[in-house]
Amino acid sequence: MAAGCARPCGGHGARWALPLRPPLCLACAVETLGDGSASLVRKKHVLSRLQDALAWQALPVVQLLAPDERVCVHLIGTLFGMLHTVEDSSALDLFVEVLVRLVVELKSEQYLRCILDESQNELCKATTMRGSLPTFTLLGKLADAIPGFADILVVEHSNLVDHLLMGLTYPNEGIKAAVCYLYGKLYSSPVGTERLSAHFEERLCGLFLNTLGRAQTKELQVNCLGLLKELLKSDHFVSILMNNSKTAEESENPDFLEGENPLPLVLKKLLLTRDEMLQAASSHCVAAVLVHSPSRYAPAFIHADVPEFLFECLLCNSEILIWSVYCCLLLLTEERLFFSKCHTVYGIESLVRSLQDVLQLNNVELHKQGLLLFTEILKRQPVEIKLFTNRGVCIEAIDVLMETVNCPVLEVVVEAVRAVAAFLRKDHLSSPPVPYEELQKLLEAVLKRCADLSPPQSSKRHAGDLLFSVSQSHPANRNLSRVPQRQGQFLLNTLESFRNACRLAVEFQSDSMAQENAFTAPNSESKDTLSNFSEFLLRICDSLCIPMVMNYLERAVSPSVMEVFISALNTLFTVVPNMRNKFSKKLASCSFIRLTLELKARFCSVQSNPALNQACSSFLCALCLSLYSATEKERTSSQEEQEMSELLQKGLPQLNYTVAESLLLLAETPEPFSLDQSLCSHQHCFILLLHFAYTLGDRFVPEADLFLAIRNFLLSAQDHGVCPPPYILRAALYLLAVCQDKGKALDLRSLCTIRRILDNLPDLSLVYVHCPLLLKFFLRYPELMGRFGHQVLQLWFSWGDCKQTETEEAGFGVSDQLNSANPLLPILKSNSSILLILLDLVCSSSVDVAWKVLMTLRTFLERNEDVLVCDLLRSQFLQILQQLLVESSSASLQANRNLPVLLSLLFLVQLRSKGVRELDSTDFKLLHQVSNLCGKCRPRDTDLLQPSLNFLYWSLHQTTPCSQQRAVAVLLSNVSLLELLQKVLERTWLRSPPSEPAYLSSEDALLCSGWLLVASLLLYQHRYNTEVHQTLSLDLAEVLNAVIFRKKKPILLLVSIMQFLRAVLRQNFSSPLLVIVGQNTAQGATQPQPSSLQDAALHPLAMRQVFSLVVSLQNLLVHVQLQKDLLLSQAVVACLETLVEYLYMKNQDIALHVASQPWHRFLVFTLLNGGQKSFLQPEVLRLMTLFLKYQSSNIISQKEISQILQEAAEANLAELPEATSRALHLFLCQIQSSHCQVEPAQSGTIQTLLERLLGQRSTCVKHQDIVCLGGVAVSLSHIGD
């Protein structure tokens, strides 16, 4: 027999042999198994060979056994019988395995029923339940291996179920485990579930829960959980199980929980184990219960504190367990009790730490599920219960979100951005200090990630153009036809995050604890503040958010995306209040008004997309109100703003028309006696929107069409007696003015309509807009200019914000804006009658307005050669001055702020006359009035005296000798004027030196004008021998010291004093107008010292004063060489010439001695070694002429004369400056007159040069003689002569 097991037995034939190594005789194997005398070891060996045969050669076995039913039944019966006779566990497992395999391969229900019959008989006759274990095990294996076995069992052998129930009561966990396993297979079948439903409800439920609750072995626990998992697939069984657990209130009784083992506590008990597999299975079961109805079943688990243990389970390494817990907690978030019991507060730290660990794993689904749970907790957490009680956990949460946002997997990033949106809530971040810097980094990462996923923008177009192009190719029902759905959703989530951040910033504005980091060190500045965060939001919106949405608009338009985007922009108006105006201007200039109108027209008609409509309407309202406050700074009225706000809030939600439809709407007229104001509301809203859009350069409506529509609107309003509010009229007039150039000229009816409307207004300023086009519009039509020109010009100059500083006033500086962009200039050129209105404004308006008018007139005079205009201005000025002097006293004149401006303009008009002219009667009347005005002033009235003295100085120098003689007589006859000049000059010695020598204050400028005017009066009084009615007295020592000790004196003041010194030197200190007070006047008759003979010859000068003055003048020339100041150099050389001439007249020896001092030669060569290193410099040539005149051969030799002649012969005389040409001419004439020994060739050169210079002087263009330097009128010929 043993041999038969190893090879084919001769008695059974070869057909029973199975192709194994070694061969196996199937017949011998059957006989061996049925042989009662065979040992268990032999039977296990045979079973092992048979198991291999069924595993590897099942077909030959089936082919041998299937034809002979008797053999099959015998073999099955033998194996089944051995299950109950053998006690060896390994052998039993082998018997069960072979028997199950055999039945499976035979594929016949007959054998299944045979086994079931045998099993029933065995269970019935079993004396103890312990012997039933193999049967239960076999039935369970069969149910697992054969799909229909469970159905046959419950249908045809239902009485077996009673034995299963008894098995659960037997105190053996192995039997219980086998029974539970079989139950699990039975309830996995739909037929079994149906047939055994009542069985479970009536008998099994409580027993099963008790078994599960008291299970100790892992096998029983696993099988119970397997059965539970199958049961939990049915809503009916879930209801039975949870009802068996009683209500939530009852479950709070600890005694009850301990006795009845309700399901939530049983599962919680399993969660307490350290076995991750049991914890995962338990959490699976919790999820399986909750998925049927979270609201119904979640309270029982929450009251049993199951969530706490679920959160604890997150601190593990099992991905399956973490996934299961995520699912459970996600279902629990649907129940508010989950949050109110503070389970989220307890578990948020565990969840954040779990997410940190999970992100290190390569499991995308787990990442997504964890983020989804985190998002739901963040979204559903009640506001009154703070989630993050620990700032450290909050920072860790931000780090987790940052890491997930930067994840390379897009699906994870999408979930992360949703979590960021939910995270940005005030109650989540209200624990001080608020981590603003971390939030900035997180939000910037989100926006950059979204921008990186977007394709590059193909063009830089405005928002309205983008939407318009999309609307032409994308129907409303296919918003995302060219954009992937996921990308559109990602953009939506990103914008929600940004919007929530903006709302967060607004909410924190009312929280003093959130304003800045309360833990900042003293005397240090923290960047972690709400202010910085708010500015960041505005900055990131401009740099990332808006471009990203504009890029999206190139390809698609989604109402949901645009609703979030527009509402975010609306929130930004209140995020940084001090930047609101700038932000609104940028939005309007980038066509956001047009974009929003297009969105409303396309998506919000017929009451669709109400959320988008509300967002767009609120945004437009806030934008318009912000632009109103930004552009109407000088007029902002709270009442008008309130009315505008109410109009926009009421009308914008219904304004869902296209631009073309809205233009047609403007021309419609309301029905007579109609109470419906919606038409007017729509018209007014649209006009306001157009006004603000056009103000910022967004001209999205053709100007010609808009001009006609606004004209029709005004005509319709007037015809029906409707008077729009002032702010609507203001907008309508502005639009008319802006579109005027593209539209036809208004007819008489339209102009009369506008005039009647404006006449009904209490004040034109209510509809005035400070815009050059509006000014041009009013001045274009005589019908409007005659009635409103004065008011409009008054408003124009008073409304502007460009003001000149005192320095600019002193120097008559004109801003670039006023010079290049004054719209009045071309209008004035075409209509000079406007000048009369401007002159009236100078007299009747404030000093600011008068100054701006002055600047406008000055610019106009500089750019236009119309002399008739100057005559008109002079006559008008005379009338104004006469009126002021008659009506005002001396004190009121000084208080009049417009008079200095008027006098400045008078001087500017005179300055406009380039050449010398005869003074007419108007000029002399003006001269008389201005000189009288000066006599009424005090020396400190610089604003009045400066332009007045400039005018008097001009009148002396820019006229013919005849007029000059009369002008000198007028001035010298004015005693009060001369007394004033005396006081002005005396203030020279009282002045305090400024901090910077080059700075010319208004007081110094007045001193300059005083010295220059007195020097001119001395000159012309002597020339015309004019009668003097009042003398001036000056201390000569003070005058000389002012030049000698010139520390920190402005250059122009030195020039002015030197002009006075030249005048008195030329007249030998003897003038009817001047009394010189000498330094020795008060001394007694002391005998003179030996040097006093020279002093007597030079009286009232002293020799030491002469030498000090000469040295000071030499030093000034060196200073001139460094400063490149031509005016000072001319004044110094002229003063030196006059001084030597005076000395020569008094004492020739002294004059020649002074002129031949060797340091003069050193001075000349110092000047030559300066900048140009050329003799052809005016100061060098005039010095050479001086030394040549007084025969100072030691200073200038024949060599220098030859060098000068050679350099002049080689130079292009036409390119020489006028001062240089004049100095060269004097030098050449001096050579001829002094009979210097020159070569014949040089004589010819001299004559040729003189002829060329004379020809050059006859053809040269005369330059302006009177110039204005630092506010002081200076005659160049007066200084340089």
Side-chain angles (χ1 to χ4, degrees):
M1 200 66 184
C5 292
R7 59 182 181 277
C9 180
H12 296 138
R15 71 184 187 90
W16 292 95
L18 296 177
L20 296 176
R21 291 287 183 269
L24 172 65
C25 176
L26 183 57
C28 290
V30 174
E31 289 177 355
T32 301
L33 292 174
D35 186 1
S37 61
S39 66
L40 181 60
V41 174
R42 288 183 61 195
K43 292 180 179 180
K44 287 175 65 176
H45 174 69
V46 171
L47 280 175
S48 178
R49 299 297 308 282
L50 185 57
Q51 182 186 25
D52 292 340
L54 289 172
W56 306 105
Q57 300 291 336
L59 183 59
V61 175
V62 173
Q63 289 175 346
L64 289 173
L65 294 178
D68 195 341
E69 182 180 335
R70 180 182 59 84
V71 175
C72 291
V73 172
H74 172 71
L75 179 58
I76 291 172
T78 301
L79 293 174
F80 185 81
M82 293 177 66
L83 288 176
H84 302 88
T85 58
V86 176
E87 295 183 358
D88 183 86
S89 60
S90 61
L92 286 175
D93 292 340
L94 188 57
F95 291 154
V96 171
E97 179 68 27
V98 172
L99 184 56
V100 171
R101 190 77 181 183
L102 180 61
V103 174
V104 170
E105 294 297 338
L106 290 175
K107 299 177 183 176
S108 174
E109 291 186 5
Q110 174 187 355
Y111 306 122
L112 293 178
R113 290 184 175 88
C114 177
I115 292 177
L116 287 173
D117 292 338
E118 291 294 334
S119 298
Q120 184 171 347
N121 293 335
E122 185 63 34
L123 291 174
C124 290
K125 69 180 182 180
T127 58
T128 63
M129 189 56 65
R130 183 182 296 273
S132 303
L133 177 59
T135 304
F136 292 145
T137 304
L138 174 62
L139 293 176
K141 296 286 187 178
L142 288 172
D144 187 33
I146 301 173
F149 180 77
D151 296 343
I152 297 174
L153 190 151
V154 297
V155 173
E156 299 181 8
H157 295 80
S158 58
N159 51 354
L160 282 175
V161 177
D162 296 333
H163 296 284
L164 294 177
L165 203 60
M166 289 186 291
L168 284 181
T169 62
Y170 189 74
N172 184 297
E173 293 204 351
I175 294 176
K176 291 180 180 180
V179 171
C180 288
Y181 185 83
L182 180 54
Y183 262 129
K185 298 304 176 182
L186 296 180
Y187 279 103
S188 66
S189 165
V191 176
T193 301
E194 182 182 355
R195 289 298 185 97
L196 299 178
S197 176
H199 171 76
F200 177 78
E201 183 176 1
E202 297 169 2
R203 305 175 65 185
L204 179 59
C205 181
L207 185 59
F208 167 69
L209 287 175
N210 186 60
T211 302
L212 178 58
R214 299 180 182 275
Q216 298 297 320
T217 62
K218 186 174 181 179
E219 180 185 14
L220 177 58
Q221 291 170 333
V222 170
N223 288 351
C224 285
L225 289 172
L227 170 58
L228 181 60
K229 183 179 178 181
E230 295 298 334
L231 292 171
L232 294 179
K233 293 178 180 179
S234 168
D235 184 65
H236 176 63
F237 291 150
V238 171
S239 177
I240 294 172
L241 286 166
M242 295 304 293
N243 286 337
N244 186 269
S245 301
K246 305 302 179 184
T247 63
E249 292 77 7
E250 293 173 334
S251 65
E252 293 181 354
N253 185 344
D255 296 333
F256 171 80
L257 293 175
E258 187 66 27
E260 295 295 332
N261 290 315
L263 183 59
L265 287 185
V266 171
L267 294 176
K268 183 177 77 170
K269 181 180 178 181
L270 293 173
L271 289 174
L272 286 171
T273 65
R274 296 296 181 181
D275 192 315
E276 293 182 351
M277 184 182 74
L278 294 178
Q279 290 175 324
S282 176
S283 58
H284 268 299
C285 293
V286 174
V289 173
L290 294 175
V291 77
H292 289 281
S293 177
S295 61
R296 182 179 176 186
Y297 302 125
F301 290 99
I302 294 171
H303 283 298
D305 293 329
V306 170
E308 290 186 20
F309 298 97
L310 288 173
F311 278 117
E312 293 295 338
C313 289
L314 289 176
L315 302 178
C316 69
N317 297 321
S318 172
E319 297 182 29
I320 296 175
L321 176 56
I322 294 174
W323 172 271
S324 302
V325 173
Y326 283 165
C327 294
C328 288
L329 293 173
L330 190 59
L331 291 167
L332 286 171
T333 57
E334 299 183 30
E335 174 56 41
R336 182 173 178 80
L337 191 63
F338 176 65
F339 299 96
S340 62
K341 287 286 185 179
C342 295
H343 289 296
T344 50
V345 179
Y346 173 83
I348 190 64
E349 183 173 359
S350 298
L351 176 58
V352 172
R353 300 280 170 79
S354 171
L355 287 171
Q356 288 177 331
D357 296 337
V358 162
L359 291 176
Q360 308 307 315
L361 305 176
N362 189 20
N363 190 332
V364 173
E365 294 301 322
L366 195 59
H367 299 169
K368 290 166 55 181
Q369 192 74 357
L371 287 171
L372 181 59
L373 171 62
F374 191 34
T375 302
E376 290 301 315
I377 291 177
L378 292 170
K379 285 170 57 178
R380 297 173 184 265
Q381 180 72 17
V383 175
E384 62 274 9
I385 302 176
K386 188 179 295 186
L387 182 61
F388 296 99
T389 57
N390 184 346
R391 187 175 185 270
V393 178
C394 182
I395 299 297
E396 290 180 1
I398 295 176
D399 294 338
V400 168
L401 293 173
M402 179 72 80
E403 186 174 355
T404 52
V405 165
N406 294 322
C407 176
V409 182
L410 180 59
E411 297 176 359
V412 176
V413 179
V414 171
E415 292 296 338
V417 174
R418 285 199 189 101
V420 172
F423 179 76
L424 293 171
R425 265 175 42 181
K426 180 182 178 182
D427 51 294
H428 292 334
L429 296 161
S430 57
S431 297
V434 180
Y436 290 116
E437 282 195 88
E438 288 77 5
L439 292 179
Q440 288 185 31
K441 294 176 184 177
L442 176 61
L443 197 60
E444 187 173 11
V446 170
L447 289 171
K448 284 185 176 180
R449 190 63 196 274
C450 186
D452 291 341
L453 291 175
S454 302
Q457 191 168 344
S458 60
S459 61
K460 292 185 178 179
R461 291 182 287 173
H462 278 193
D465 298 328
L466 293 173
L467 180 61
F468 181 75
S469 64
V470 170
S471 65
Q472 300 299 311
S473 58
H474 293 264
N477 58 348
R478 294 169 58 195
N479 298 319
L480 301 176
S481 58
R482 293 175 58 188
V483 179
Q485 180 71 29
R486 184 178 298 171
Q487 183 180 336
Q489 185 63 38
F490 186 38
L491 176 61
L492 177 62
N493 296 336
T494 301
L495 292 175
E496 286 178 345
S497 300
F498 180 73
R499 178 178 64 178
N500 290 351
C502 295
R503 290 175 176 174
L504 183 70
V506 174
E507 291 172 354
F508 276 142
Q509 289 176 358
S510 59
D511 187 351
S512 58
M513 292 294 293
Q515 296 296 319
E516 60 183 40
N517 190 342
F519 302 101
T520 304
N523 301 323
S524 63
E525 183 178 353
S526 172
K527 296 182 179 179
D528 207 13
T529 62
L530 176 61
S531 175
N532 289 338
F533 180 65
S534 300
E535 292 176 3
F536 159 79
L537 291 176
L538 202 61
R539 191 167 57 251
I540 203 74
C541 176
D542 183 47
S543 61
L544 278 179
C545 191
I546 292 178
M548 187 168 58
V549 177
M550 296 303 103
N551 186 11
Y552 171 76
L553 284 177
E554 287 190 347
R555 293 161 285 117
V557 186
S558 168
S560 57
V561 169
M562 298 310 297
E563 185 267 323
V564 176
F565 175 60
I566 295 295
S567 63
L569 293 180
N570 190 24
T571 307
L572 273 175
F573 286 127
T574 52
V575 169
V576 188
N578 60 331
M579 295 291 290
R580 175 179 180 178
N581 293 344
K582 185 177 181 180
F583 180 60
S584 60
K585 287 181 179 180
K586 184 161 189 178
L587 289 177
S589 65
C590 293
S591 301
F592 271 84
I593 293 179
R594 178 186 180 185
L595 168 67
T596 314
L597 287 175
E598 292 282 351
L599 285 172
K600 286 171 61 66
R602 181 176 168 194
F603 294 110
C604 302
S605 58
V606 295
Q607 298 182 350
S608 57
N609 295 306
L612 176 61
N613 189 25
Q614 182 59 42
C616 291
S617 301
S618 300
F619 168 74
L620 286 175
C621 181
L623 179 61
C624 289
L625 293 177
S626 179
L627 291 173
Y628 172 77
S629 62
T631 56
E632 306 287 352
K633 294 178 181 177
E634 301 184 22
R635 184 198 1 247
T636 303
S637 165
S638 58
Q639 180 181 355
E640 185 174 272
E641 188 173 2
Q642 180 65 27
E643 293 177 1
M644 188 183 300
S645 176
E646 293 175 358
L647 170 67
L648 293 171
Q649 290 176 7
K650 178 182 176 182
L652 284 175
Q654 285 77 41
L655 191 65
N656 299 325
Y657 308 106
T658 63
V659 172
E661 292 170 344
S662 298
L663 284 177
L664 294 176
L665 198 69
L666 288 179
E668 290 189 14
T669 57
E671 295 294 332
F673 311 107
S674 173
L675 298 178
D676 185 12
Q677 298 295 320
S678 60
L679 177 60
C680 289
S681 176
H682 294 166
Q683 290 175 332
H684 294 173
C685 287
F686 188 59
I687 288 175
L688 281 177
L689 294 174
L690 288 171
H691 171 225
F692 290 122
Y694 269 64
T695 301
L696 275 302
D698 181 17
R699 302 189 176 187
F700 59 90
V701 179
E703 283 91 340
D705 297 342
L706 181 57
F707 184 81
L708 184 61
I710 297 296
R711 168 189 169 276
N712 293 337
F713 167 75
L714 293 175
L715 290 174
S716 173
Q718 181 66 22
D719 293 342
H720 291 80
V722 178
C723 184
Y727 56 89
I728 299 298
L729 288 177
R730 183 165 65 243
L733 287 175
Y734 171 80
L735 293 173
L736 278 180
V738 169
C739 302
Q740 175 66 82
D741 292 341
K742 298 295 179 67
K744 297 180 180 179
L746 291 175
D747 55 12
L748 184 60
R749 179 193 172 203
S750 302
L751 292 171
C752 292
T753 297
I754 295 174
R755 179 169 179 171
R756 282 195 296 270
I757 291 175
L758 296 180
D759 281 335
N760 292 329
L761 293 174
D763 188 358
L764 188 64
S765 65
L766 295 174
V767 296
Y768 175 75
V769 179
H770 191 66
C771 169
L773 293 174
L774 184 69
L775 178 68
K776 182 180 178 181
F777 177 77
F778 270 96
L779 299 180
R780 171 177 180 153
Y781 297 102
E783 295 84 357
L784 297 180
M785 186 185 74
R787 178 67 181 84
F788 307 107
H790 188 281
Q791 299 178 61
V792 170
L793 286 169
Q794 171 78 27
L795 290 168
W796 168 260
F797 287 108
S798 62
W799 212 271
D801 56 357
C802 53
K803 296 181 179 179
Q804 305 299 321
T805 63
E806 292 183 1
T807 303
E808 289 173 328
E809 292 177 8
F812 300 100
V814 183
S815 66
D816 293 338
Q817 177 186 6
L818 209 54
N819 261 326
S820 61
N822 195 326
L824 267 180
L825 299 181
I827 302 176
L828 284 173
K829 190 171 184 179
S830 61
N831 188 359
S832 59
S833 60
I834 302 175
L835 287 172
L836 299 177
I837 302 177
L838 296 180
L839 290 173
D840 185 54
L841 289 177
V842 171
C843 184
S844 61
S845 302
S846 65
V847 66
D848 291 336
V849 172
W851 180 253
K852 292 170 187 174
V853 175
L854 167 67
M855 292 297 99
T856 301
L857 290 173
R858 181 181 190 273
T859 306
F860 174 72
L861 293 175
E862 287 180 344
R863 296 183 180 182
N864 296 278
E865 302 295 333
D866 191 354
V867 180
L868 296 178
V869 172
C870 295
D871 297 336
L872 175 65
L873 293 177
R874 277 198 301 274
S875 62
Q876 192 70 17
F877 286 154
L878 177 61
Q879 296 178 17
I880 297 172
L881 275 176
Q882 288 174 338
Q883 179 183 356
L884 288 175
L885 291 174
V886 169
E887 296 178 354
S888 305
S889 63
S890 177
S892 61
L893 282 175
Q894 295 160 5
N896 192 322
R897 301 177 64 195
N898 287 331
L899 188 56
V901 184
L902 183 66
L903 292 169
S904 299
L905 184 56
L906 173 61
F907 169 62
L908 291 175
V909 171
Q910 300 294 67
L911 195 63
R912 170 67 182 78
S913 300
K914 306 277 184 190
V916 174
R917 67 176 180 83
E918 190 82 23
L919 298 182
D920 56 16
S921 61
T922 301
D923 292 316
F924 280 108
K925 290 177 181 178
L926 284 171
L927 186 66
H928 177 73
Q929 297 291 349
V930 173
S931 61
N932 286 340
L933 175 63
C934 291
K936 297 180 179 181
C937 294
R938 297 164 298 182
R940 64 172 179 269
D941 298 329
T942 57
D943 53 347
L944 284 172
L945 288 176
Q946 187 61 62
S948 300
L949 296 185
N950 285 340
F951 174 77
L952 299 180
Y953 183 80
W954 179 92
S955 300
L956 290 177
H957 287 276
Q958 286 294 97
T959 186
T960 60
C962 180
S963 297
Q964 201 173 58
Q965 183 176 3
R966 292 181 59 192
V968 171
V970 170
L971 296 181
L972 292 180
S973 64
N974 194 324
V975 175
S976 59
L977 172 63
L978 295 176
E979 290 176 347
L980 171 78
L981 290 175
Q982 175 75 49
K983 296 175 183 178
V984 169
L985 297 184
E986 289 175 353
R987 292 174 68 91
T988 305
W989 331 126
L990 304 177
R991 66 180 290 275
S992 57
S995 58
E996 298 181 9
Y999 176 73
L1000 186 68
S1001 64
S1002 57
E1003 292 79 6
D1004 291 338
L1006 181 61
L1007 294 178
C1008 294
S1009 296
W1011 285 106
L1012 288 173
L1013 182 59
V1014 170
S1016 302
L1017 289 174
L1018 285 171
L1019 173 66
Y1020 296 130
Q1021 187 279 330
H1022 178 72
R1023 178 180 298 176
Y1024 301 116
N1025 195 22
T1026 310
E1027 183 181 359
V1028 176
H1029 300 274
Q1030 175 71 24
T1031 60
L1032 302 174
S1033 61
L1034 286 173
D1035 188 343
L1036 180 61
E1038 294 285 2
V1039 176
L1040 293 174
N1041 290 339
V1043 178
I1044 296 171
F1045 307 105
R1046 60 184 185 278
K1047 184 177 181 181
K1048 290 189 176 181
K1049 286 188 177 65
I1051 291 176
L1052 190 57
L1053 181 57
L1054 287 174
V1055 171
S1056 304
I1057 296 175
M1058 282 189 286
Q1059 282 303 111
F1060 171 82
L1061 189 58
R1062 286 183 62 203
V1064 295
L1065 284 171
R1066 284 182 173 181
Q1067 298 179 33
N1068 297 323
F1069 296 99
S1070 175
S1071 172
L1073 181 60
L1074 184 66
V1075 175
I1076 298 296
V1077 180
Q1079 60 182 357
N1080 296 325
T1081 303
Q1083 295 179 357
T1086 308
Q1087 281 299 104
Q1089 298 297 322
S1091 60
S1092 63
L1093 295 175
Q1094 294 177 334
D1095 292 344
L1098 301 178
H1099 183 78
L1101 288 178
M1103 194 65 188
R1104 59 179 179 80
Q1105 291 176 324
V1106 171
F1107 282 113
S1108 297
L1109 182 60
V1110 170
V1111 171
S1112 179
L1113 293 176
Q1114 289 176 332
N1115 292 337
L1116 272 174
L1117 275 178
V1118 176
H1119 177 75
V1120 167
Q1121 189 66 27
L1122 298 175
Q1123 298 295 325
K1124 307 297 182 184
D1125 193 314
L1126 178 62
L1127 183 68
L1128 180 60
S1129 68
Q1130 290 183 351
V1132 171
V1133 173
C1135 187
L1136 190 60
E1137 291 172 343
T1138 307
L1139 175 62
V1140 175
E1141 182 180 349
Y1142 170 80
L1143 296 176
Y1144 190 82
M1145 182 178 60
K1146 291 288 187 179
N1147 189 323
Q1148 295 184 6
D1149 295 335
I1150 296 176
L1152 295 176
H1153 174 69
V1154 170
S1156 61
Q1157 291 296 319
W1159 58 69
H1160 289 315
R1161 183 171 179 83
F1162 176 75
L1163 172 65
V1164 171
F1165 284 99
T1166 300
L1167 297 178
L1168 288 175
N1169 292 329
Q1172 298 181 7
K1173 297 183 179 180
S1174 168
F1175 282 101
L1176 299 184
Q1177 302 178 47
E1179 59 271 16
V1180 174
L1181 290 172
R1182 290 183 66 172
L1183 284 176
M1184 292 295 191
T1185 304
L1186 176 65
F1187 302 143
L1188 194 63
K1189 178 178 180 180
Y1190 294 101
Q1191 302 174 1
S1192 302
S1193 58
N1194 63 325
I1195 306 300
I1196 178 171
S1197 63
Q1198 184 64 37
K1199 178 181 178 182
E1200 281 79 24
I1201 296 175
S1202 300
Q1203 289 179 352
I1204 295 174
L1205 293 177
Q1206 181 181 356
E1207 188 173 346
E1210 295 174 355
N1212 185 357
L1213 299 183
E1215 296 179 356
L1216 291 179
E1218 184 178 353
T1220 305
S1221 298
R1222 190 184 305 112
L1224 180 60
H1225 181 267
L1226 292 174
F1227 176 74
L1228 296 175
C1229 292
Q1230 185 63 46
I1231 293 176
Q1232 289 183 335
S1233 63
S1234 60
H1235 307 291
C1236 293
Q1237 295 181 358
V1238 294
E1239 299 177 359
Q1242 291 179 336
S1243 299
T1245 301
I1246 293 173
Q1247 188 61 38
T1248 303
L1249 289 173
L1250 284 173
E1251 293 174 357
R1252 289 172 59 190
L1253 287 173
L1254 288 174
Q1256 184 73 22
R1257 292 176 64 182
S1258 62
T1259 59
C1260 69
V1261 179
K1262 296 293 182 181
H1263 296 285
Q1264 177 76 11
D1265 182 52
I1266 298 289
V1267 295
C1268 197
L1269 303 176
V1272 179
V1274 179
S1275 171
L1276 298 180
S1277 60
H1278 182 210
I1279 302 298
D1281 186 12

